[in-house]
Amino acid sequence: MEKKKELMAPFNLIVTHLPGYPNKRDAMRQLSWLLDDVEIVDSRPNIILAKVPDPDDAVRRLKRSLPIDSTPILRVIPVHAVTYPKVDSVREVVHRLLREAGPGSFAVRLDGYLYSDGERLHRVDAAKIIADGVERPVNLSSPDILVYVKVVRFRRSYLAAIYVGPPDGILRVVRLREQQ
C-alpha cells in the first residue's frame, strides 16, 4: 500500500519574526489583532505556524494593515499544501498545484533540505527534480509563478510546506519598507 503524498495541512500560514521572546509575543499579538480568525498551531524560535480560513487572503489583509515600520514580523508565507520532505512527494504535489495555477513561467525556491532514499539532496538537485517534467518556461529572475518549498519542524518531525503562486503572494516586510 502506497503512503499518501499530501497530508491534511495542520497549518497553512508560516510567519517568521525577529529573534527573541518579546518579538514572538508581539508578532502573535499583531496576528491575533489583524487576523481575527487565526489559530496559532505551533511555534519555534523565529517562526510561528498558524491556521487561517484562507492563507492568501490573510497575506493580503496583513499587507494592507501591518504596521510595517514597527512590526517584528519579517515574512508571511501562505501554504497551499503540506507533505513529507521527500523530493518525490514534493514533486508530485508541486506538479498538481502547477496544473491548477495560471499560465506563465516559473521558478523553484527551496528553504531547507529535501531527501531521496534517505540521502539529503543539494538544493539545486532537488529543484531540478521538482521542475523535471513541468511544461512551462523557467524564469529564475522574474517568474510569473513561484514554487516555494519551506521545510519546517512541526512537533517531532519535519514537513515540507509548499506555496505555488505569484512571487508577491508572500509578504516580505523588508521589501515593503524599501518601497516606502
Side-chain angles (χ1 to χ4, degrees):
M1 188 164 110
E2 186 176 322
K3 201 173 194 181
K4 188 175 178 188
K5 302 285 185 202
E6 190 173 345
L7 305 172
M8 286 296 292
F11 56 90
N12 61 6
L13 200 66
I14 299 174
V15 179
T16 63
H17 58 82
L18 292 170
Y21 178 75
N23 287 321
K24 176 182 290 217
R25 186 188 61 230
D26 290 346
M28 286 181 173
R29 278 188 194 146
Q30 286 180 353
L31 289 172
S32 296
W33 180 55
L34 298 171
L35 302 173
D36 52 343
D37 47 3
V38 66
E39 175 190 352
I40 306 298
V41 176
D42 197 8
S43 67
R44 302 262 172 221
N46 307 345
I47 192 166
I48 298 167
L49 304 176
K51 186 94 170 169
V52 293
D54 181 350
D56 295 310
D57 181 58
V59 169
R60 284 190 292 274
R61 288 169 37 200
L62 288 171
K63 278 184 181 181
R64 283 193 310 267
S65 55
L66 196 65
I68 298 300
D69 294 330
S70 62
T71 184
I73 294 173
L74 299 173
R75 281 189 307 162
V76 182
I77 305 154
V79 175
H80 297 142
V82 175
T83 189
Y84 301 102
K86 296 178 181 175
V87 72
D88 292 334
S89 298
V90 171
R91 182 178 185 270
E92 185 176 307
V93 173
V94 165
H95 282 231
R96 179 186 58 79
L97 290 171
L98 279 171
R99 282 191 298 272
E100 297 169 5
S105 62
F106 82 108
V108 176
R109 306 258 193 277
L110 295 173
D111 189 352
Y113 293 97
L114 299 178
Y115 293 83
S116 178
D117 298 324
E119 299 284 325
R120 187 169 88 171
L121 297 172
H122 290 283
R123 290 181 185 155
V124 172
D125 295 335
K128 286 179 183 176
I129 291 169
I130 292 168
D132 186 42
V134 174
E135 299 295 327
R136 58 172 75 218
V138 174
N139 183 341
L140 299 178
S141 60
S142 181
D144 298 314
I145 309 262
L146 174 65
V147 174
Y148 182 77
V149 180
K150 183 169 181 64
V151 178
V152 295
R153 184 164 182 165
F154 179 70
R155 300 196 174 126
R156 292 193 168 132
S157 63
Y158 288 89
L159 298 173
I162 303 167
Y163 165 78
V164 175
D168 66 350
I170 295 175
L171 171 64
R172 295 172 182 92
V173 171
V174 173
R175 281 203 184 145
L176 291 177
R177 284 181 187 151
E178 291 170 354
Q179 293 172 358
Q180 284 185 336

